Amino acid sequence: MARIDIQRRFDWDLFVTRYWNRRPVLYQATGASPFEDADAFDAALGASRGAMAPPTAIEARTDVQFTIDKGQPVQPGPWLPRDTDGSLDGYDARLAATLGSRRYALIISLLHSHGFGLWSRERAFFSELWRRVGIPLSGGITTLFHGNYEHSPVGVHLDRFTTFLFCLRGRKRMRFWAKRPWSMPVTTLVDYAPYLEKSFTAEVGPGDILYWPASYHHVGESAGEGVATSVNVGIPITGHQTRDDVEDLLNAGHGHAPRARDAARSPPLVRGILDGEGILSRELPVALRLAANTLREITHDTRTQANIRTLWLNRLSSGGFEPSPPPARRRVLKDTDVLHGNKAFPILVEKTGAGWCCSANGKALHVSGPRQPVNKLVATLNTAREVPVSELLHPFPSRGALPHRVLESLPATRAGMRRMLENLLTFRAIHVIGSSRGK
């Protein structure tokens, strides 16, 4: 029977040489994990707010799944994290008082898009991997698994991504099969007891890091009576395949081709793909219609290259984890405010058409005007030295105020560059550290 390698020291060079896309490995108590309980709770709160918003609201998200035993409540709101819980411990205590002995699972996909603290630590950690293997052409995914569930609700399955599991709290067992243990034409299996003999396991505790390649079938299990929390990070090892989108569309999240009786349970964007007889509709489903419209817009001759460059700069500045968390609240910058940037993760600038694209922390803004002063402003911020706003804006002409309407491209004037700095501040790419008044 296969056994998993155990390492006591985390070393990226050894990992890439020996384990990357080859075989699983467990790193025990190395102190290398980037994730903290408080950041995970903060991100879970952000995801829960979107999940509880009305379906038509702009902030509505479908990243959250909650199960009780083997069922899903129609309205998950009462079971999701709240500000009043204060922490994961407070959240667990509230659920324990309500659910008693019933088991539950909170699963949040795209966790990195809901909390800046978690996202920034994750980006810094994986930047060392990208130095060695290159940044993925399509973004990584981050998923929170929290609860006292018996095993992963989906059962034994195979991911499209090579995966890192970071254990935060409690204990969890991952069970692996080097090859698919069943022969039935299904992609997942909840009742896998007949195949236990062909599996091997790894038990993880707080601070441990577990890695496995995409070729291994696996399932997460409870390794005790308490609540366990882990953050899983999936890294694509090949470019995103169009067939994956088509498969998702047709499967509609059920693990098989859709049938007429599944129509009511299908996600809104793909609902109506089949008629009452189970025949494919002549009209494109909403998901494909929206995709086709977007493709027409971004492939217009005058915009294609600019859009491609912007998307790639955002991929680079986000560290491969998109979408990045939403911007912070805007504040007006005064001339006396002192700013500094982030030398480790600089603002990226590249020419796009007649102007310039600046990308920071996965978000872009566009500037029109001469190259030299714009590049100098960004280069100064990227040194991370402390500099007043007045010094940064001095090279730019004062003529021309910004109109009230939001501009697609900011002019290289003092007003335009002040707005650019304010945007970068909302992106959390720069920080205000004080005032130059009195110096």
Side-chain angles (χ1 to χ4, degrees):
M1 180 183 298
R3 296 179 61 184
I4 193 163
D5 283 7
I6 296 178
Q7 296 287 342
R8 308 288 181 180
R9 185 175 71 88
F10 192 89
D11 179 87
W12 277 118
D13 290 326
L14 178 64
F15 168 79
V16 170
T17 301
R18 186 177 297 179
Y19 301 108
W20 176 244
N21 293 329
R22 290 180 176 86
R23 53 196 173 114
V25 59
L26 172 61
Y27 292 93
Q28 289 186 327
T30 62
S33 176
F35 298 114
E36 298 182 358
D37 290 11
D39 288 336
F41 178 70
D42 177 65
L45 278 179
S48 298
R49 294 186 190 106
M52 289 186 284
T56 55
I58 192 169
E59 68 273 18
R61 301 289 292 267
T62 58
D63 303 334
V64 181
Q65 176 186 0
F66 189 87
T67 63
I68 301 175
D69 290 331
K70 295 184 179 180
Q72 286 185 299
V74 176
Q75 298 294 335
W79 313 107
L80 302 184
R82 304 172 181 170
D83 290 284
T84 52
D85 293 328
S87 65
L88 288 172
D89 287 334
Y91 172 61
D92 294 338
R94 175 167 63 86
L95 291 194
T98 306
L99 295 176
S101 61
R102 288 182 290 173
R103 293 178 178 267
Y104 68 92
L106 172 68
I107 301 174
I108 302 177
S109 58
L110 286 178
L111 184 70
H112 61 257
S113 68
H114 297 289
F116 185 81
L118 182 139
W119 174 86
S120 59
R121 294 177 192 275
E122 181 175 17
R123 177 181 63 165
F125 179 84
F126 282 99
S127 66
E128 293 299 320
L129 179 60
W130 309 152
R131 294 181 204 277
R132 293 161 173 84
V133 303
I135 193 168
L137 293 179
S138 55
I141 59 172
T142 313
T143 308
L144 176 74
F145 292 90
H146 177 84
N148 58 359
Y149 51 91
E150 186 175 355
H151 59 71
S152 303
V154 72
V156 182
H157 60 286
L158 192 69
D159 290 330
R160 298 171 183 161
F161 301 82
T162 187
T163 302
F164 292 81
L165 182 156
F166 301 86
C167 185
L168 275 64
R169 301 159 71 249
R171 302 198 67 82
K172 179 176 289 189
R173 181 186 306 110
M174 291 300 300
R175 187 175 297 277
F176 298 101
W177 289 261
K179 297 180 179 180
R180 190 174 73 170
W182 64 84
S183 58
M184 301 86 75
V186 294
T187 57
T188 64
L189 193 68
V190 175
D191 182 12
Y192 54 89
Y195 310 102
L196 292 178
E197 289 185 4
K198 296 181 180 180
S199 69
F200 63 98
T201 63
E203 189 167 312
V204 296
D208 291 350
I209 302 174
L210 177 63
Y211 166 80
W212 65 89
S215 57
Y216 281 73
H217 283 75
H218 59 278
V219 64
E221 299 176 340
S222 173
E225 294 300 321
V227 176
T229 308
S230 67
V231 175
N232 287 22
V233 177
I235 307 299
I237 56 175
T238 59
H240 190 69
Q241 301 295 314
T242 304
R243 66 172 179 269
D244 293 340
D245 292 330
V246 175
E247 180 181 296
D248 286 341
L249 179 67
L250 295 179
N251 287 350
H254 304 307
H256 51 72
R259 295 169 296 215
R261 67 170 179 268
D262 292 325
R265 296 187 297 167
S266 299
L269 289 180
V270 298
R271 198 166 294 148
I273 187 172
L274 301 180
D275 63 19
E277 301 298 323
I279 304 300
L280 190 66
S281 173
R282 291 179 177 274
E283 182 179 353
L284 280 176
V286 177
L288 290 185
R289 194 161 66 248
L290 292 177
N293 291 339
T294 301
L295 184 62
R296 290 190 191 97
E297 292 176 8
I298 67 174
T299 55
H300 190 277
D301 288 346
T302 60
R303 298 178 57 187
T304 301
Q305 290 301 316
N307 278 316
I308 290 173
R309 290 177 184 272
T310 299
L311 289 171
W312 182 239
L313 285 182
N314 284 345
R315 172 66 45 75
L316 293 176
S317 70
S318 69
F321 295 100
E322 301 170 276
S324 57
R329 188 185 299 272
R330 180 184 296 278
R331 61 168 287 183
V332 176
L333 284 175
K334 302 176 182 177
D335 285 348
T336 53
D337 286 331
V338 177
L339 308 177
H340 78 90
N342 186 339
K343 195 172 184 178
F345 295 98
I347 302 162
L348 306 179
V349 182
E350 189 166 327
K351 185 170 179 58
T352 53
W356 308 92
C357 175
C358 299
S359 179
N361 290 349
K363 293 177 172 56
L365 51 85
H366 294 269
V367 178
S368 60
R371 173 177 184 173
Q372 198 273 338
V374 174
N375 275 3
K376 183 178 179 181
L377 180 149
V378 172
T380 301
L381 291 172
N382 286 343
T383 65
R385 77 174 177 90
E386 300 174 7
V387 55
V389 170
S390 58
E391 180 180 328
L392 291 167
L393 299 183
H394 179 71
F396 297 93
S398 58
R399 66 179 182 275
L402 288 177
H404 293 296
R405 294 183 62 185
V406 177
L407 293 178
E408 193 170 302
S409 183
L410 294 169
T413 63
R414 289 187 189 175
M417 293 301 95
R418 188 185 302 274
R419 177 64 60 84
M420 172 180 167
L421 292 174
E422 291 170 351
N423 284 342
L424 290 172
L425 192 63
T426 68
F427 299 168
R428 302 178 180 87
I430 59 175
H431 303 278
V432 177
I433 59 170
S435 174
S436 62
R437 187 178 291 114
K439 290 187 177 180

